[in-house]
């Protein structure tokens, strides 16, 4: 296993379009996290899954955002009707179980909304 | 006030210098993560610790849970250590990580 992977690495879209990102965690990891990072800031928590169950969502995650992990393996993060403020790096991380375990981060998907 | 604060925000050093980055937090954290982020965005987990001290190569991390403070030290710094260093901790009330804003380190030869 080569670690956490994310696809695409870069995405440029026009305002109002929908985008979907994919994260493939390390195979035996039960926990999967999504974070958002804007320029010059630390990452901010968006949501996380324990297997296929979405256990917590940040208030940052408006109703335009939805995340799924249908089979407890890969996850998708969809943003509908993108806005320029959605431009950021979207990071995915996975861990074995609880948050007190080491989290392994993917390379991120950089989104630019024009 | 951020729940997790780091200092300094920016740090420059000459190759070979001893580096210290500090992290203070106001929430109840059961463990603390130190992360390294290079230009281009990739994040690498350096340490996860809940007490005492951990060492990996030239990197040393210490934590005092009672004082809610952690430090990351780099001995014999090298230009390849140039990166943003971020501390983060899981709140005891939730299972999400709370991140500091990072310390940008530049080591010059």
């Amino acid at each position: 296993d080569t670690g956490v992977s994310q696809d695409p690495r870069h995405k440029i879209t026009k305002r109002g379009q929908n985008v979907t990102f994919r994260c493939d965690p390390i195979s035996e990891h039960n926990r999967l996290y999504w974070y958002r990072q804007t320029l010059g800031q630390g990452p901010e928590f968006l949501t996380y899954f324990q297997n296929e169950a979405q256990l917590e969502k940040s208030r940052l995650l408006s109703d335009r955002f939805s995340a799924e992990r249908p089979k407890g393996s890969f996850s998708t993060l969809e943003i509908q009707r993108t806005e320029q403020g959605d431009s950021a790096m979207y990071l995915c991380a996975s861990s074995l179980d609880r948050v007190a375990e080491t989290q392994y981060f993917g390379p991120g998907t950089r989104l630019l909304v024009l | 006030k951020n729940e997790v604060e780091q200092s300094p925000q920016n740090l420059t050093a000459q190759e070979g210098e001893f580096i210290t980055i500090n992290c203070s937090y106001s929430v109840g954290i059961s463990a603390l993560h130190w992360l390294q982020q290079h230009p281009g965005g990739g994040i690498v987990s350096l340490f996860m610790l809940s007490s005492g001290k951990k060492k990996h190569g030239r990197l040393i991390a210490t934590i005092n849970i009672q004082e809610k403070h952690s430090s990351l030290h780099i001995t014999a710094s090298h230009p390849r250590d140039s990166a943003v260093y971020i501390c983060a901790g899981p709140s005891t009330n939730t299972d999400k990580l709370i991140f500091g804003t990072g310390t940008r380190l530049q080591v010059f030869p």
Side-chain angles (χ1 to χ4, degrees):
Chain A
D1 193 300
T2 56
V4 179
S5 61
Q6 291 185 245
D7 183 70
R9 295 289 305 276
H10 303 273
K11 178 70 177 179
I12 301 174
T13 190
K14 292 183 180 179
R15 190 175 51 185
Q17 297 293 307
N18 299 343
V19 295
T20 299
F21 309 142
R22 176 178 169 127
C23 171
D24 286 89
I26 293 172
S27 58
E28 65 268 25
H29 284 185
N30 298 322
R31 286 277 176 112
L32 186 148
Y33 301 85
W34 284 101
Y35 301 97
R36 181 173 70 184
Q37 185 178 27
T38 53
L39 203 62
Q41 300 297 314
E44 297 172 294
F45 169 82
L46 292 178
T47 188
Y48 81 93
F49 293 84
Q50 173 81 25
N51 299 312
E52 67 274 10
Q54 188 174 17
L55 296 186
E56 187 172 349
K57 292 171 59 173
S58 164
R59 285 172 292 178
L60 293 174
L61 220 62
S62 75
D63 56 7
R64 295 185 298 106
F65 288 71
S66 62
E68 294 182 339
R69 195 182 182 198
K71 297 181 180 179
S73 56
F74 73 91
S75 175
T76 57
L77 177 68
E78 181 184 16
I79 309 174
Q80 296 182 326
R81 305 181 302 281
T82 52
E83 300 173 357
Q84 287 184 322
D86 297 332
S87 297
M89 174 78 85
Y90 290 84
L91 295 161
C92 173
S94 70
S95 67
L96 274 172
D97 192 0
R98 287 184 52 79
V99 68
E101 300 281 346
T102 297
Q103 293 191 17
Y104 296 85
F105 284 79
T109 295
R110 188 173 295 280
L111 172 67
L112 178 62
V113 182
L114 300 176
Chain B
K1 180 174 164 63
N2 291 333
E3 293 173 292
V4 179
E5 291 202 333
Q6 293 183 231
S7 63
Q9 289 187 322
N10 295 284
L11 185 56
T12 58
Q14 288 294 125
E15 183 173 356
E17 286 186 8
F18 182 82
I19 304 292
T20 295
I21 299 170
N22 295 300
C23 178
S24 298
Y25 47 93
S26 57
V27 295
I29 288 179
S30 57
L32 193 109
H33 301 251
W34 279 102
L35 311 169
Q36 180 192 57
Q37 186 170 32
H38 280 284
I43 292 180
V44 174
S45 180
L46 299 174
F47 296 102
M48 197 277 294
L49 67 166
S50 56
S51 65
K53 179 169 75 173
K54 285 190 176 180
K55 184 175 187 294
H56 181 69
R58 295 180 295 104
L59 302 179
I60 303 167
T62 63
I63 190 169
N64 185 317
I65 290 287
Q66 287 76 27
E67 294 186 2
K68 299 184 177 179
H69 181 269
S70 177
S71 293
L72 176 68
H73 306 284
I74 305 174
T75 61
S77 59
H78 190 275
R80 64 174 174 267
D81 297 327
S82 298
V84 176
Y85 293 84
I86 303 170
C87 66
S91 168
T92 51
N93 297 322
T94 75
D95 254 359
K96 66 182 185 185
L97 275 182
I98 303 168
F99 293 83
T101 53
T103 295
R104 183 174 301 276
L105 170 66
Q106 289 185 295
V107 182
F108 293 98

